[in-house]
Amino acid sequence: MPVTNSVHRGTAWLRRRLGRAIFGSYAAALLLPQPGLWVRRPHALGAVQIHLPPVLLGALIFAAGFQVRPRALTGLLRRPMALVAALLLHLAVPLVVIPLLVALLRRTPDSDHGSGIVTAMVLIVTMPVAANATVWTAKGSGDQPAMVAAVLGSTLLSPVTTPLVILALVVLLQAPYAHTLIGAAQLAHGAFSLWTIVVPCAAGLVCRSVVCAAWAEALEDWIALGALGASLLTTYANASGALGSFLTQPRPLLVGAAATAAVVVCGTAFLLGHAAGALLCLGRGGRSSLALACGMSNSSAGAVLITAAMPDKPYLLVPVLAYGLVQKTFAGFTVRQRVAETRIPEEV
């Protein structure tokens, strides 16, 4: 038990400092990218080629599934509005924000009008709800069961929903990026989503349900700590691919454009979530959870899909890094706002 308590304290300590740890991963990737580039390369294990980024993503998704307490989801059967709204809005947001981004980038002097950034943004916002949205929901005393169900539902539905939304947005781009998006949609519909998203999520749920309660509580801290480590390693590897050559070949315009696009897309998604929660007359906790579900996408899954669909364009991971930072900033603002509102009694 002392070891378990130490792991619990270590996990809580790392969660409180996760923002600084992520910035540290970015700095390490900028100054020492070689280990991260090694992680991104395929490795031979006998006759099998192992790609570590999908394995790390699968570990993150498994941890998200394992940390779900089945009893916490039963109440949603009596009040499913928040869950249904979160799933539908997470699907609808890309259809609103991506055309807005395309309209803004058409004014730029770039020869392809930012098609590369648009492509990267499409492959981010069409991903399932980010698993760490549950952490932000807990910090803000939001609707935790609805958020957990939104993460699981969007994850399990992603082999169908992700390619459909991607194909709906293909018409906004010209070749060759339109062809790239079509290829990415085919990957998302096939083995990519099945083995890196759906199977790990289902495995986590099954393992949680068959392990006795005492063991599950003890394992949860270890799995959560491992997931945080995998998340930081994934961030470092992605940043190494995006920023590894930045010191020798700086691209400040790309960084500026990626940051601007991330703010526009993510900010609009959060605003839509807040507005929808108000229109549905949800409580303050429900409104903040809906905003988090709309604005937070699994950028790690997007990075893996970008790498698989466009291995010759590692610079398109820069928008992934920008979106990851921006969505955490907006999530922090939403949580702080929610904490401030808890001092005011809920309206009847």
Side-chain angles (χ1 to χ4, degrees), residues 41-134:
R41 288 197 297 267
H43 302 279
L45 185 63
V48 180
Q49 289 283 338
I50 301 295
H51 296 266
L52 292 179
V55 173
L56 292 172
L57 174 60
L60 291 172
I61 300 295
F62 173 87
F66 186 87
Q67 293 176 70
V68 174
R69 292 171 172 82
R71 286 180 295 180
L73 302 178
T74 56
L76 289 173
L77 297 177
R78 296 189 297 270
R79 45 182 184 83
M81 180 182 293
L83 170 60
V84 173
L87 291 174
L88 291 178
L89 281 170
H90 190 76
L91 291 176
V93 160
L95 303 176
V96 176
V97 298
I98 296 301
L100 173 63
L101 179 64
V102 171
L104 291 175
L105 290 178
R106 278 181 182 158
R107 302 173 183 269
T108 64
D110 190 11
S111 59
D112 65 356
H113 300 294
S115 293
I117 289 178
V118 173
T119 300
M121 284 294 163
V122 169
L123 297 181
I124 297 170
V125 297
T126 56
M127 290 295 107
V129 180
N132 62 1
T134 59

Side-chain angles (χ1 to χ4, degrees), residues 54 57-59 61-63 65-66 193-205:
L57 174 60
I61 300 295
F62 173 87
F66 186 87
S193 288
L194 178 63
W195 293 107
T196 61
I197 296 179
V198 175
V199 169
C201 181
L205 289 170

